[in-house]
Amino acid sequence: MIRFDKVNFSYGKKEILKDFSLNINDGDKVCFFAPSGFGKTTLLRLIMGLEKVRSGELSGIDDKKISVVFQEDRLLPNKTVLQNIELFADTEDIPSVIERLGLSDAQDMYPHALSGGMARRTAIARALCRQADIYIFDEPFNGIDQKNVEKTAEIIREVTRDKTVLLVTHDRDQAEILGATIVDISESM
């Protein structure tokens, strides 16, 4: 269980989280929802260990393997689609994931030659080809057309079926398509 207990966090003098508390059970699918500036991505960064809690306690993440899709695709420009996916992969399912995400014809292409949606699906494929306890998706469907959103959501649901999924999006439909419970963090501030 991931547990936020009266967590406080600020960037300089700008308070982002104040006495934030939440329990997330193993296998839960949770979407952090709020207007910009309310700390959605900050919550993910705290869980990933990229930021530290200023006060309060965050527990339940030690020794957990995490796989992430950041807001930016973060593809290495000198690696092909396949090479970017293989970087952190620890599963044999790479060909299947590539095919199901519609990337088979693009696997030898470099990021500069990809459309925005193809780059995004490559970032998602990279995360899904890594076995993890927690999957984090920050605005996962940015740049992906509706037809591919549905296909992408289907494979995300399958791969993460029994795993904890944490999601940030501004679109309630995207949370619903992934089966996530919406936690409006603006209401807890």
Side-chain angles (χ1 to χ4, degrees), residues 155-173:
I155 190 170
I156 290 172
R157 285 192 311 268
E158 286 177 23
V159 171
T160 65
R161 181 179 29 247
D162 299 323
K163 306 297 182 176
T164 302
V165 173
L166 305 176
L167 164 72
V168 165
T169 182
H170 290 94
D171 186 336
R172 287 182 182 269
D173 291 338

Side-chain angles (χ1 to χ4, degrees), residues 101-102 115-118 120-121 140-153 174 177:
L101 288 173
S115 69
M118 291 170 77
R120 195 65 180 159
R121 286 180 283 143
F141 302 117
N142 279 351
I144 300 177
D145 61 80
Q146 191 57 40
K147 177 184 82 169
N148 283 310
V149 164
E150 292 169 15
K151 287 181 186 177
T152 303
Q174 291 180 5
I177 199 170

Side-chain angles (χ1 to χ4, degrees), residues 5-9 15 17-21 55 188-189:
D5 186 21
K6 296 183 180 178
V7 168
N8 293 290
F9 183 84
E15 188 174 73
L17 299 172
K18 181 175 172 135
D19 293 329
F20 180 78
S21 294
S55 65
S188 63
M189 304 310 236

